Amino acid sequence: MLNALFSVGLQILYAVGATGLAIYGLQALALTLVRLHSELLKKQGHHCAQGDAGEDTPRNCVDWPAVTVQLPIFNEVHVVGRLIDACAKLDYPSDRLQIQVLDDSVDGTTVIAERRAAFWRKRGVDVKVLHRSDRQGFKAGALKEGLAEANGEYVAVFDADFVPHPDFLKRTIPSFLDSATKHVGFVQTRWTHLNGEYSALTRAQALALDGHFVVEQAARHAAGLSFGFNGSAGVWRKACIEDPAVGGWQDDTLCEDLDLSYRAQLAGWRGIYLNDVEAPAELPPQLLAFKRQQFRWAKGSVAALRKLATSVWQGGWPTLIRTAAYVHLGGYLIHPLLLVLLLVSPLLMLSGSQPYLPLAYLSLVSIGPPALYALAQRRLHRQDWLRRWAHLPILMLLGMGLSLSNSVAAWQAIFGKGGAFLRTPKFRVEGSSDSWHRSGYALELEPIVAVELFLALYAGIGCYIAYIYGQWLSLRVLAR
């Protein structure tokens, strides 16, 4: 009797995990098809492929509006100079450009920032370092305090690892200026990669981010779905942030960017995604740094789901848009689902159970993510897209490896546990240099790594069991 109940319990857990993953696989497939459909419409002469907006953006304007560029930083010795220099070189009327270095640093970053700011002020660029003695509100708090001193009608935001092109503002600001775009609250551009070819880790990250921007963001925008501001390489209308119905920057999640963009869209503001405007940034070269970044994103996005769930339900959006918003906000819940499958699959096989139906259901839509990443690489790199897409197995292994850490992040978010904003260290990795290993910013191993190694061994044992029992579909799940 107990064995039967145990088997049924395992089947239920497996069905929940497999069905949840199928939902996210279906989303990836749907967004891929939407992206292809929008491209087809564009080729036929229609103007509804909004995901590619920006390629015909005018670069000249008689009266450019005032813009404030905000640079939130915390302990960025290696990259703060590069960031300030790039923003000071933005091709924009100097009398209408203000640059705020929002510095919460407690190391030598502030000295470097002040030095570079002074250098550019002598050359007529309005650059000011606003140093805070505490990190109240973390990044959201810094942006909020800086906004009080911002004189721009529009506010661009760049994280420390970005190096914007000189024409960035002249390719984004016009999206706000047309009379038909008076309700545009924010513009997001596509991230590219300064060190995408550095290692297998950065290639896998580049593959994931390319899929997110080229397909997911573009498709959501083209379909009229809600989508998120990515926290950097974008521009906000100041009036949108300050709209009482929006509520400004808030620090009760670690994804203040996703939170604000959803509150803005719920209040009636629109977002625009410009796929053709590129913003180069550095990818984390250290696995532990990438893991920390993913933990923060997972916890922040699930916290945003918890915070905004009721507002999305009551926001008056059509059912399709509302459902898509929930799936989007809950995207990192895929990791607890992966963890469930990892833990349950070997036990099911040993008990003699064969969950064919959930596995078949999962397999049906599992082509979604590979197709999404393939389309993104095909659109960006026609000559060698297949070589880049071949890093998909590494990305899948990373996803499984992060399942425990990101599940902990999701658990903390669901139950409202706070925590510090742990920055992703940047090292200014250029070329093949490995100097980041000697940086004081390099992260040390944490105790959870031991548990993750055990899970890797457990997955390996599960794969062996699947091989012995001939359960190839289970083998496929364990190798995800």
Side-chain angles (χ1 to χ4, degrees), residues 47-72:
H47 191 62
C48 56
Q50 300 176 44
D52 285 320
E55 61 183 355
D56 297 321
T57 301
R59 293 169 177 262
N60 295 305
C61 181
V62 175
D63 188 19
W64 289 103
V67 174
T68 296
V69 177
Q70 293 188 319
L71 312 177

PDB file of all heavy atoms in Angstrom, residues 47-72:
ATOM      1  N   HIS A  47       3.519  47.153 -41.761  1.00  0.00           N
ATOM      2  CA  HIS A  47       4.336  47.887 -40.790  1.00  0.00           C
ATOM      3  C   HIS A  47       4.063  47.412 -39.365  1.00  0.00           C
ATOM      4  O   HIS A  47       4.174  48.164 -38.424  1.00  0.00           O
ATOM      5  CB  HIS A  47       4.047  49.387 -40.875  1.00  0.00           C
ATOM      6  CG  HIS A  47       5.024  50.220 -40.098  1.00  0.00           C
ATOM      7  ND1 HIS A  47       6.373  50.258 -40.376  1.00  0.00           N
ATOM      8  CD2 HIS A  47       4.844  51.044 -39.037  1.00  0.00           C
ATOM      9  CE1 HIS A  47       6.977  51.075 -39.541  1.00  0.00           C
ATOM     10  NE2 HIS A  47       6.078  51.549 -38.708  1.00  0.00           N
ATOM     11  N   CYS A  48       3.686  46.152 -39.209  1.00  0.00           N
ATOM     12  CA  CYS A  48       3.348  45.687 -37.873  1.00  0.00           C
ATOM     13  C   CYS A  48       4.438  44.837 -37.270  1.00  0.00           C
ATOM     14  O   CYS A  48       4.269  44.274 -36.200  1.00  0.00           O
ATOM     15  CB  CYS A  48       2.037  44.909 -37.872  1.00  0.00           C
ATOM     16  SG  CYS A  48       2.031  43.519 -39.007  1.00  0.00           S
ATOM     17  N   ALA A  49       5.585  44.719 -37.924  1.00  0.00           N
ATOM     18  CA  ALA A  49       6.695  43.966 -37.331  1.00  0.00           C
ATOM     19  C   ALA A  49       7.452  44.889 -36.397  1.00  0.00           C
ATOM     20  O   ALA A  49       8.584  45.278 -36.630  1.00  0.00           O
ATOM     21  CB  ALA A  49       7.610  43.428 -38.416  1.00  0.00           C
ATOM     22  N   GLN A  50       6.781  45.247 -35.292  1.00  0.00           N
ATOM     23  CA  GLN A  50       7.333  46.257 -34.405  1.00  0.00           C
ATOM     24  C   GLN A  50       8.618  45.814 -33.742  1.00  0.00           C
ATOM     25  O   GLN A  50       9.397  46.628 -33.265  1.00  0.00           O
ATOM     26  CB  GLN A  50       6.301  46.607 -33.330  1.00  0.00           C
ATOM     27  CG  GLN A  50       5.010  47.159 -33.925  1.00  0.00           C
ATOM     28  CD  GLN A  50       3.981  47.413 -32.845  1.00  0.00           C
ATOM     29  OE1 GLN A  50       4.295  47.961 -31.792  1.00  0.00           O
ATOM     30  NE2 GLN A  50       2.760  47.026 -33.088  1.00  0.00           N
ATOM     31  N   GLY A  51       8.848  44.524 -33.680  1.00  0.00           N
ATOM     32  CA  GLY A  51      10.051  44.043 -33.036  1.00  0.00           C
ATOM     33  C   GLY A  51      11.313  44.508 -33.733  1.00  0.00           C
ATOM     34  O   GLY A  51      12.383  44.484 -33.156  1.00  0.00           O
ATOM     35  N   ASP A  52      11.185  44.935 -34.986  1.00  0.00           N
ATOM     36  CA  ASP A  52      12.346  45.419 -35.718  1.00  0.00           C
ATOM     37  C   ASP A  52      12.336  46.936 -35.843  1.00  0.00           C
ATOM     38  O   ASP A  52      13.044  47.496 -36.651  1.00  0.00           O
ATOM     39  CB  ASP A  52      12.383  44.807 -37.120  1.00  0.00           C
ATOM     40  CG  ASP A  52      12.824  43.360 -37.080  1.00  0.00           C
ATOM     41  OD1 ASP A  52      13.742  43.071 -36.307  1.00  0.00           O
ATOM     42  OD2 ASP A  52      12.253  42.531 -37.797  1.00  0.00           O
ATOM     43  N   ALA A  53      11.466  47.591 -35.057  1.00  0.00           N
ATOM     44  CA  ALA A  53      11.422  49.043 -35.122  1.00  0.00           C
ATOM     45  C   ALA A  53      12.793  49.604 -34.830  1.00  0.00           C
ATOM     46  O   ALA A  53      13.546  49.087 -34.031  1.00  0.00           O
ATOM     47  CB  ALA A  53      10.408  49.582 -34.103  1.00  0.00           C
ATOM     48  N   GLY A  54      13.117  50.684 -35.471  1.00  0.00           N
ATOM     49  CA  GLY A  54      14.376  51.351 -35.183  1.00  0.00           C
ATOM     50  C   GLY A  54      15.349  51.373 -36.344  1.00  0.00           C
ATOM     51  O   GLY A  54      16.244  52.183 -36.378  1.00  0.00           O
ATOM     52  N   GLU A  55      15.175  50.480 -37.327  1.00  0.00           N
ATOM     53  CA  GLU A  55      16.148  50.457 -38.402  1.00  0.00           C
ATOM     54  C   GLU A  55      16.030  51.689 -39.294  1.00  0.00           C
ATOM     55  O   GLU A  55      16.985  52.071 -39.938  1.00  0.00           O
ATOM     56  CB  GLU A  55      15.982  49.179 -39.224  1.00  0.00           C
ATOM     57  CG  GLU A  55      14.620  49.024 -39.882  1.00  0.00           C
ATOM     58  CD  GLU A  55      14.497  47.706 -40.621  1.00  0.00           C
ATOM     59  OE1 GLU A  55      15.500  46.983 -40.695  1.00  0.00           O
ATOM     60  OE2 GLU A  55      13.424  47.391 -41.124  1.00  0.00           O
ATOM     61  N   ASP A  56      14.827  52.309 -39.311  1.00  0.00           N
ATOM     62  CA  ASP A  56      14.633  53.514 -40.106  1.00  0.00           C
ATOM     63  C   ASP A  56      14.498  54.746 -39.220  1.00  0.00           C
ATOM     64  O   ASP A  56      13.965  55.766 -39.637  1.00  0.00           O
ATOM     65  CB  ASP A  56      13.384  53.368 -40.986  1.00  0.00           C
ATOM     66  CG  ASP A  56      13.534  52.246 -41.997  1.00  0.00           C
ATOM     67  OD1 ASP A  56      14.642  52.090 -42.553  1.00  0.00           O
ATOM     68  OD2 ASP A  56      12.555  51.529 -42.210  1.00  0.00           O
ATOM     69  N   THR A  57      14.976  54.634 -37.981  1.00  0.00           N
ATOM     70  CA  THR A  57      14.854  55.739 -37.049  1.00  0.00           C
ATOM     71  C   THR A  57      15.633  56.948 -37.546  1.00  0.00           C
ATOM     72  O   THR A  57      16.803  56.828 -37.904  1.00  0.00           O
ATOM     73  CB  THR A  57      15.411  55.330 -35.671  1.00  0.00           C
ATOM     74  OG1 THR A  57      14.675  54.210 -35.197  1.00  0.00           O
ATOM     75  CG2 THR A  57      15.293  56.465 -34.679  1.00  0.00           C
ATOM     76  N   PRO A  58      15.004  58.140 -37.577  1.00  0.00           N
ATOM     77  CA  PRO A  58      15.731  59.336 -38.013  1.00  0.00           C
ATOM     78  C   PRO A  58      16.846  59.668 -37.045  1.00  0.00           C
ATOM     79  O   PRO A  58      16.706  59.535 -35.840  1.00  0.00           O
ATOM     80  CB  PRO A  58      14.642  60.421 -38.004  1.00  0.00           C
ATOM     81  CG  PRO A  58      13.600  59.913 -37.058  1.00  0.00           C
ATOM     82  CD  PRO A  58      13.615  58.427 -37.198  1.00  0.00           C
ATOM     83  N   ARG A  59      17.957  60.124 -37.592  1.00  0.00           N
ATOM     84  CA  ARG A  59      19.114  60.429 -36.765  1.00  0.00           C
ATOM     85  C   ARG A  59      19.288  61.929 -36.552  1.00  0.00           C
ATOM     86  O   ARG A  59      20.171  62.341 -35.815  1.00  0.00           O
ATOM     87  CB  ARG A  59      20.382  59.860 -37.396  1.00  0.00           C
ATOM     88  CG  ARG A  59      20.415  58.338 -37.419  1.00  0.00           C
ATOM     89  CD  ARG A  59      21.544  57.833 -38.292  1.00  0.00           C
ATOM     90  NE  ARG A  59      21.623  56.388 -38.263  1.00  0.00           N
ATOM     91  CZ  ARG A  59      22.456  55.697 -37.512  1.00  0.00           C
ATOM     92  NH1 ARG A  59      23.273  56.336 -36.709  1.00  0.00           N
ATOM     93  NH2 ARG A  59      22.473  54.383 -37.549  1.00  0.00           N
ATOM     94  N   ASN A  60      18.486  62.733 -37.225  1.00  0.00           N
ATOM     95  CA  ASN A  60      18.617  64.179 -37.083  1.00  0.00           C
ATOM     96  C   ASN A  60      17.308  64.776 -36.596  1.00  0.00           C
ATOM     97  O   ASN A  60      16.234  64.347 -36.976  1.00  0.00           O
ATOM     98  CB  ASN A  60      19.002  64.821 -38.418  1.00  0.00           C
ATOM     99  CG  ASN A  60      20.381  64.376 -38.876  1.00  0.00           C
ATOM    100  OD1 ASN A  60      21.346  64.521 -38.136  1.00  0.00           O
ATOM    101  ND2 ASN A  60      20.473  63.827 -40.078  1.00  0.00           N
ATOM    102  N   CYS A  61      17.411  65.750 -35.737  1.00  0.00           N
ATOM    103  CA  CYS A  61      16.230  66.386 -35.174  1.00  0.00           C
ATOM    104  C   CYS A  61      16.551  67.862 -34.972  1.00  0.00           C
ATOM    105  O   CYS A  61      17.657  68.224 -34.564  1.00  0.00           O
ATOM    106  CB  CYS A  61      15.865  65.724 -33.847  1.00  0.00           C
ATOM    107  SG  CYS A  61      14.384  66.407 -33.067  1.00  0.00           S
ATOM    108  N   VAL A  62      15.586  68.710 -35.293  1.00  0.00           N
ATOM    109  CA  VAL A  62      15.820  70.151 -35.188  1.00  0.00           C
ATOM    110  C   VAL A  62      15.997  70.564 -33.736  1.00  0.00           C
ATOM    111  O   VAL A  62      16.854  71.378 -33.397  1.00  0.00           O
ATOM    112  CB  VAL A  62      14.637  70.923 -35.819  1.00  0.00           C
ATOM    113  CG1 VAL A  62      14.818  72.425 -35.590  1.00  0.00           C
ATOM    114  CG2 VAL A  62      14.531  70.618 -37.307  1.00  0.00           C
ATOM    115  N   ASP A  63      15.200  69.975 -32.857  1.00  0.00           N
ATOM    116  CA  ASP A  63      15.219  70.371 -31.450  1.00  0.00           C
ATOM    117  C   ASP A  63      15.264  69.132 -30.569  1.00  0.00           C
ATOM    118  O   ASP A  63      14.235  68.624 -30.125  1.00  0.00           O
ATOM    119  CB  ASP A  63      13.984  71.214 -31.137  1.00  0.00           C
ATOM    120  CG  ASP A  63      14.028  71.817 -29.747  1.00  0.00           C
ATOM    121  OD1 ASP A  63      15.131  71.887 -29.178  1.00  0.00           O
ATOM    122  OD2 ASP A  63      12.965  72.193 -29.216  1.00  0.00           O
ATOM    123  N   TRP A  64      16.456  68.635 -30.298  1.00  0.00           N
ATOM    124  CA  TRP A  64      16.599  67.450 -29.461  1.00  0.00           C
ATOM    125  C   TRP A  64      16.208  67.779 -28.024  1.00  0.00           C
ATOM    126  O   TRP A  64      16.593  68.809 -27.489  1.00  0.00           O
ATOM    127  CB  TRP A  64      18.038  66.951 -29.482  1.00  0.00           C
ATOM    128  CG  TRP A  64      18.465  66.324 -30.773  1.00  0.00           C
ATOM    129  CD1 TRP A  64      19.236  66.892 -31.737  1.00  0.00           C
ATOM    130  CD2 TRP A  64      18.139  65.007 -31.231  1.00  0.00           C
ATOM    131  NE1 TRP A  64      19.414  66.014 -32.779  1.00  0.00           N
ATOM    132  CE2 TRP A  64      18.757  64.846 -32.499  1.00  0.00           C
ATOM    133  CE3 TRP A  64      17.399  63.958 -30.698  1.00  0.00           C
ATOM    134  CZ2 TRP A  64      18.641  63.675 -33.232  1.00  0.00           C
ATOM    135  CZ3 TRP A  64      17.280  62.787 -31.436  1.00  0.00           C
ATOM    136  CH2 TRP A  64      17.900  62.644 -32.683  1.00  0.00           C
ATOM    137  N   PRO A  65      15.457  66.911 -27.360  1.00  0.00           N
ATOM    138  CA  PRO A  65      15.056  67.161 -25.968  1.00  0.00           C
ATOM    139  C   PRO A  65      16.205  66.884 -25.003  1.00  0.00           C
ATOM    140  O   PRO A  65      17.185  66.211 -25.345  1.00  0.00           O
ATOM    141  CB  PRO A  65      13.914  66.160 -25.750  1.00  0.00           C
ATOM    142  CG  PRO A  65      14.248  65.026 -26.673  1.00  0.00           C
ATOM    143  CD  PRO A  65      14.866  65.662 -27.895  1.00  0.00           C
ATOM    144  N   ALA A  66      16.087  67.398 -23.807  1.00  0.00           N
ATOM    145  CA  ALA A  66      17.112  67.168 -22.783  1.00  0.00           C
ATOM    146  C   ALA A  66      17.055  65.716 -22.310  1.00  0.00           C
ATOM    147  O   ALA A  66      15.982  65.151 -22.093  1.00  0.00           O
ATOM    148  CB  ALA A  66      16.889  68.114 -21.608  1.00  0.00           C
ATOM    149  N   VAL A  67      18.241  65.127 -22.144  1.00  0.00           N
ATOM    150  CA  VAL A  67      18.351  63.724 -21.734  1.00  0.00           C
ATOM    151  C   VAL A  67      19.318  63.615 -20.557  1.00  0.00           C
ATOM    152  O   VAL A  67      20.394  64.230 -20.570  1.00  0.00           O
ATOM    153  CB  VAL A  67      18.847  62.833 -22.888  1.00  0.00           C
ATOM    154  CG1 VAL A  67      19.086  61.397 -22.401  1.00  0.00           C
ATOM    155  CG2 VAL A  67      17.858  62.842 -24.036  1.00  0.00           C
ATOM    156  N   THR A  68      18.937  62.849 -19.569  1.00  0.00           N
ATOM    157  CA  THR A  68      19.827  62.513 -18.460  1.00  0.00           C
ATOM    158  C   THR A  68      20.246  61.053 -18.599  1.00  0.00           C
ATOM    159  O   THR A  68      19.404  60.173 -18.784  1.00  0.00           O
ATOM    160  CB  THR A  68      19.124  62.706 -17.105  1.00  0.00           C
ATOM    161  OG1 THR A  68      18.805  64.088 -16.931  1.00  0.00           O
ATOM    162  CG2 THR A  68      20.024  62.252 -15.962  1.00  0.00           C
ATOM    163  N   VAL A  69      21.542  60.806 -18.539  1.00  0.00           N
ATOM    164  CA  VAL A  69      22.073  59.445 -18.596  1.00  0.00           C
ATOM    165  C   VAL A  69      22.480  59.055 -17.181  1.00  0.00           C
ATOM    166  O   VAL A  69      23.336  59.701 -16.573  1.00  0.00           O
ATOM    167  CB  VAL A  69      23.277  59.345 -19.545  1.00  0.00           C
ATOM    168  CG1 VAL A  69      23.856  57.923 -19.529  1.00  0.00           C
ATOM    169  CG2 VAL A  69      22.871  59.728 -20.959  1.00  0.00           C
ATOM    170  N   GLN A  70      21.865  58.018 -16.652  1.00  0.00           N
ATOM    171  CA  GLN A  70      22.153  57.560 -15.302  1.00  0.00           C
ATOM    172  C   GLN A  70      23.016  56.294 -15.343  1.00  0.00           C
ATOM    173  O   GLN A  70      22.698  55.346 -16.063  1.00  0.00           O
ATOM    174  CB  GLN A  70      20.864  57.271 -14.532  1.00  0.00           C
ATOM    175  CG  GLN A  70      20.036  58.516 -14.243  1.00  0.00           C
ATOM    176  CD  GLN A  70      18.862  58.230 -13.314  1.00  0.00           C
ATOM    177  OE1 GLN A  70      18.193  57.212 -13.437  1.00  0.00           O
ATOM    178  NE2 GLN A  70      18.619  59.134 -12.381  1.00  0.00           N
ATOM    179  N   LEU A  71      24.081  56.299 -14.545  1.00  0.00           N
ATOM    180  CA  LEU A  71      25.025  55.186 -14.499  1.00  0.00           C
ATOM    181  C   LEU A  71      25.116  54.669 -13.069  1.00  0.00           C
ATOM    182  O   LEU A  71      25.955  55.117 -12.281  1.00  0.00           O
ATOM    183  CB  LEU A  71      26.408  55.632 -14.986  1.00  0.00           C
ATOM    184  CG  LEU A  71      26.452  56.432 -16.298  1.00  0.00           C
ATOM    185  CD1 LEU A  71      27.877  56.867 -16.605  1.00  0.00           C
ATOM    186  CD2 LEU A  71      25.876  55.603 -17.439  1.00  0.00           C
ATOM    187  N   PRO A  72      24.250  53.748 -12.667  1.00  0.00           N
ATOM    188  CA  PRO A  72      24.310  53.200 -11.306  1.00  0.00           C
ATOM    189  C   PRO A  72      25.476  52.233 -11.165  1.00  0.00           C
ATOM    190  O   PRO A  72      25.591  51.265 -11.918  1.00  0.00           O
ATOM    191  CB  PRO A  72      22.966  52.471 -11.159  1.00  0.00           C
ATOM    192  CG  PRO A  72      22.573  52.112 -12.559  1.00  0.00           C
ATOM    193  CD  PRO A  72      23.112  53.196 -13.445  1.00  0.00           C
TER     194      PRO A  72
END
